[in-house]
Amino acid sequence: MMRIVLCIILCFCVSVQLLAQKNIKDTLEYSLVTPYHTVFTHLKYLQDDSYHPGIAAKALHPEYAEGEKAENLAIQLKQILDGRGIYIDLDEIPRTTEYKDSVTNKYRYYLTKKYPDLYLERVGKRWYYSGKTINSIPKWHSEVYPFGTNKLLDLLPSLGSTKILGLYAWQLIGILFLIVMSFLLHKLFTFLIEKVIIQVLLRLGYKKLADEVVVPVAKPISFLVIFPLLILLVPVLQLPITMSEYVILALRAIWPVFAIVFFYRLVDIVSIYLSKLADKTESTLDDQLVPLLRKVLKTFVVVVGGLFILDNLEFDITGLIAGLSIGGLAFALAAQDTIKNFFGSLMIFVDRPFQVGDWITSGNVDGTVEEVGFRSTRIRTFRNSLMYIPNGVITNQMIDNHGLRVYRRFMTNIALTYDTPPDLIEVFVDGLKEIVKKHSHTRKDYYEIHFNDMADSSLNVLFYIFFQVPTWSEELRARHEILLQIVRLAEALGVNFAFPTQTLHVETFPEKKGNSPQYIKSTPDLKKKLEDYLNSNKPPDTQ
């Protein structure tokens, strides 16, 4: 009997309590006559000191959500705003029933630019969150709280309601957990990269890659993982909206900085790989193209990263890009020469009329190509000065590329005195041919060595040969060797070189001999002298 009485009393108390709560809800004041009052009703009655989800749900259009579903949607919408750090300034919301959006000319008020479908609309004399907004709330909620983090929204507040420094104890514990987790993850990633990956690279022989690229990238890589986790978990803490706004904004703005550093270093890794590929080719333009490509990629990374930072800082980059497009057109008109030089550099890389290290002649320029840039080509002249020629100019001129020669021509006239006997000239010419045949860097299939001209003061032998050498220095060295052999051959055969002179001949007296030299006139003797010379004075092997 006693138990029955206690049960009746308990049921009566519960009924009284529920009735009291219902009466409290019924007596709570709210208004939906303007956009301001609707947003105020939604946000006010979801605060800690006035938590009444049923009243907050009145702001939702009753045709799309009612009862417990409406309450859950109202709570989720508040969580979305808090999780994204969207601060709603009530003073900016219109307080008139007749408000119309200036773009659509409808009774609508858009709450934030981050969610174009989040708006209020007037129905009759009241303002509600639109049906489109209500239908989009579950999708937005799953985007802000992905991977099941939405379950923590119900779990964490149940840990306690004690406040310290304006935050709940569970919020402070959550902040401490995120700090410790970030520290441990940073140490873990740094250890894995510096100790494991670097050791593998060192064993494979990539010490330069490990020291110059991987080590500086270790920390940015760890932050690339840590910051997305923080962006994912910070909204779960449901921090005060002002604090949440700046914390989330800071995290979203800082994260691209580490991404820029990472991809900036990644460009160096790609450049090292491309440099190895360029080293395997014969062309030196590939070696010049790799640094230029590295600069372009790094510039691209910085520009794109900067746009991401501005976007995360909620700058209107669409207007910025549009402004840059208009400004780019004006810049292009003002910088026609620069653009012309840029496309000239592209033509150089495509057509390859020369490469780094080639000796070229173009107009008044004569020298060795040192560097091909996006604007100009740098040429080292034989005066050891540097000339910078705009690429737009050099691509429109005739270019004589001496560096592409297979053979380098050498032509001279060897002048002999008029008193040289014909047989001696013939033997001397044969000796010259043997010198060319035995030299390691001369072309053997084509040369011209002949008694060619009888000049005013000399008998001229045409000496026309080709050297097969890659550089001018080696050509000069080959010339030196050939000319020395010619002088030695002339000395061995007794050939005198002529130079512009005037000779006065007088009668020879018995007691005085003439000034003319005494030549060997026997061909066999001359042949013997030639063979002795060739056997005893073999040209050095310069290979």
Side-chain angles (χ1 to χ4, degrees):
M1 186 67 180
M2 192 67 177
R3 291 180 179 178
I4 296 175
V5 173
L6 290 175
C7 289
I8 294 173
I9 294 174
L10 181 61
C11 291
F12 176 77
C13 292
V14 171
S15 300
V16 171
Q17 185 177 2
L18 292 175
L19 182 62
Q21 290 179 355
K22 183 177 184 303
N23 291 333
I24 290 174
K25 290 183 179 179
D26 293 339
T27 57
L28 290 175
E29 296 182 357
Y30 69 91
S31 175
L32 307 175
V33 295
T34 68
Y36 166 82
H37 288 91
T38 301
V39 176
F40 179 79
T41 299
H42 172 232
L43 298 180
K44 176 185 177 182
Y45 290 107
L46 291 178
Q47 303 300 319
D48 296 334
D49 53 353
S50 58
Y51 190 75
H52 300 288
I55 303 299
K58 300 291 185 182
L60 274 62
H61 199 296
E63 293 184 4
Y64 295 90
E66 290 182 343
E68 186 178 352
K69 177 183 177 183
E71 293 181 10
N72 291 333
L73 290 174
I75 294 172
Q76 288 182 359
L77 181 57
K78 174 70 163 50
Q79 292 173 345
I80 291 169
L81 297 175
D82 292 343
R84 284 297 305 271
I86 301 175
Y87 176 73
I88 304 299
D89 190 354
L90 295 175
D91 294 334
E92 294 182 356
I93 301 177
R95 304 191 183 194
T96 174
T97 305
E98 303 298 327
Y99 174 81
K100 282 188 176 182
D101 180 60
S102 59
V103 177
T104 62
N105 197 29
K106 295 181 179 180
Y107 292 104
R108 289 181 179 179
Y109 176 72
Y110 292 86
L111 210 60
T112 175
K113 294 181 180 179
K114 293 182 179 179
Y115 292 105
D117 292 337
L118 176 55
Y119 61 90
L120 294 90
E121 60 181 1
R122 197 180 80 168
V123 180
K125 295 295 183 180
R126 293 189 173 189
W127 284 81
Y128 298 99
Y129 284 106
S130 66
K132 195 170 186 178
T133 298
I134 295 172
N135 293 331
S136 301
I137 288 176
K139 182 186 71 172
W140 295 338
H141 196 266
S142 62
E143 291 175 354
V144 179
Y145 303 98
F147 308 113
T149 53
N150 57 327
K151 297 179 180 179
L152 297 175
L153 296 173
D154 299 326
L155 176 63
L156 293 178
S158 63
L159 298 179
S161 59
T162 304
K163 277 195 171 184
I164 303 173
L165 300 176
L167 297 176
Y168 290 106
W170 63 268
Q171 290 176 323
L172 294 174
I173 294 173
I175 293 173
L176 179 62
F177 169 76
L178 292 181
I179 294 174
V180 173
M181 179 196 70
S182 301
F183 177 78
L184 293 177
L185 286 177
H186 173 66
K187 291 296 182 182
L188 175 62
F189 277 101
T190 304
F191 173 79
L192 290 176
I193 293 174
E194 293 184 350
K195 301 299 182 182
V196 179
I197 298 179
I198 292 180
Q199 290 299 325
V200 172
L201 291 175
L202 291 177
R203 290 181 180 178
L204 295 176
Y206 295 101
K207 185 177 185 302
K208 181 179 179 182
L209 178 64
D211 294 339
E212 297 182 3
V213 179
V214 178
V215 172
V217 169
K219 293 182 179 180
I221 288 180
S222 65
F223 287 119
L224 276 178
V225 178
I226 293 171
F227 269 75
L229 288 176
L230 294 177
I231 294 173
L232 180 67
L233 296 176
V234 165
V236 178
L237 298 179
Q238 294 291 289
L239 300 173
I241 186 60
T242 304
M243 180 185 297
S244 178
E245 177 185 13
Y246 290 108
V247 170
I248 294 175
L249 191 66
L251 291 175
R252 291 181 177 274
I254 295 175
W255 181 74
V257 174
F258 297 105
I260 291 173
V261 175
F262 170 73
F263 286 106
Y264 196 86
R265 296 293 184 180
L266 187 62
V267 171
D268 291 330
I269 298 177
V270 175
S271 299
I272 293 175
Y273 174 74
L274 293 177
S275 296
K276 291 184 177 180
L277 293 180
D279 292 339
K280 296 179 181 179
T281 61
E282 296 181 358
S283 174
T284 57
L285 271 183
D286 298 343
D287 302 329
Q288 190 66 34
L289 182 61
V290 171
L292 294 177
L293 184 61
R294 181 173 65 247
K295 294 177 183 178
V296 171
L297 291 177
K298 286 186 175 181
T299 303
F300 177 78
V301 168
V302 173
V303 171
V304 174
L307 291 177
F308 271 104
I309 292 175
L310 292 176
D311 184 49
N312 289 338
L313 289 174
E314 300 182 1
F315 283 92
D316 186 8
I317 62 172
T318 304
L320 177 63
I321 295 174
L324 289 176
S325 300
I326 298 174
L329 178 61
F331 177 79
L333 294 175
Q336 296 182 39
D337 291 340
T338 301
I339 297 175
K340 180 180 178 182
N341 293 330
F342 172 75
F343 282 102
S345 65
L346 295 182
M347 293 305 299
I348 291 175
F349 285 114
V350 172
D351 291 343
R352 296 186 178 183
F354 53 80
Q355 57 186 352
V356 177
D358 284 351
W359 167 25
I360 68 170
T361 300
S362 177
N364 296 325
V365 181
D366 189 16
T368 304
V369 179
E370 283 196 352
E371 181 180 352
V372 180
F374 274 132
R375 195 198 71 84
S376 62
T377 297
R378 188 172 70 187
I379 296 178
R380 177 76 64 177
T381 68
F382 295 107
R383 301 185 303 276
N384 201 33
S385 62
L386 274 177
M387 295 190 69
Y388 291 85
I389 307 176
N391 291 329
V393 174
I394 197 170
T395 52
N396 289 328
Q397 291 183 346
M398 183 179 64
I399 300 174
D400 185 4
N401 191 338
H402 308 284
L404 294 180
R405 292 179 300 174
V406 179
Y407 301 104
R408 295 171 180 256
R409 187 184 67 172
F410 174 50
M411 183 184 71
T412 187
N413 283 301
I414 302 174
L416 308 180
T417 57
Y418 256 97
D419 55 3
T420 307
D423 292 340
L424 181 57
I425 296 176
E426 187 173 358
V427 172
F428 180 67
V429 169
D430 292 339
L432 295 177
K433 292 178 180 180
E434 289 297 325
I435 291 175
V436 174
K437 291 177 181 179
K438 291 186 177 182
H439 196 275
S440 58
H441 292 308
T442 55
R443 183 178 179 181
K444 308 300 189 297
D445 60 337
Y446 179 71
Y447 55 86
E448 300 293 342
I449 303 175
H450 308 284
F451 178 27
N452 186 54
D453 189 21
M454 300 179 68
D456 293 340
S457 58
S458 63
L459 302 175
N460 292 338
V461 176
L462 174 65
F463 191 76
Y464 186 85
I465 66 172
F466 292 88
F467 294 111
Q468 190 173 4
V469 289
T471 64
W472 188 46
S473 296
E474 294 184 42
E475 177 187 354
L476 294 177
R477 187 181 304 114
R479 284 192 185 190
H480 169 83
E481 295 167 355
I482 289 291
L483 291 175
L484 277 180
Q485 292 298 318
I486 292 174
V487 173
R488 287 170 180 162
L489 175 63
E491 183 180 359
L493 296 179
V495 173
N496 292 321
F497 296 114
F499 51 89
T501 57
Q502 289 184 349
T503 304
L504 179 63
H505 290 274
V506 297
E507 185 179 354
T508 303
F509 296 97
E511 64 273 10
K512 182 176 177 59
K513 296 181 179 180
N515 294 325
S516 299
Q518 299 296 319
Y519 294 107
I520 300 175
K521 297 182 180 181
S522 173
T523 301
D525 293 340
L526 291 174
K527 293 280 187 180
K528 181 65 170 57
K529 279 197 171 187
L530 174 61
E531 292 177 1
D532 293 342
Y533 166 76
L534 294 175
N535 293 330
S536 60
N537 296 279
K538 293 183 179 180
D541 187 1
T542 57
Q543 288 184 339

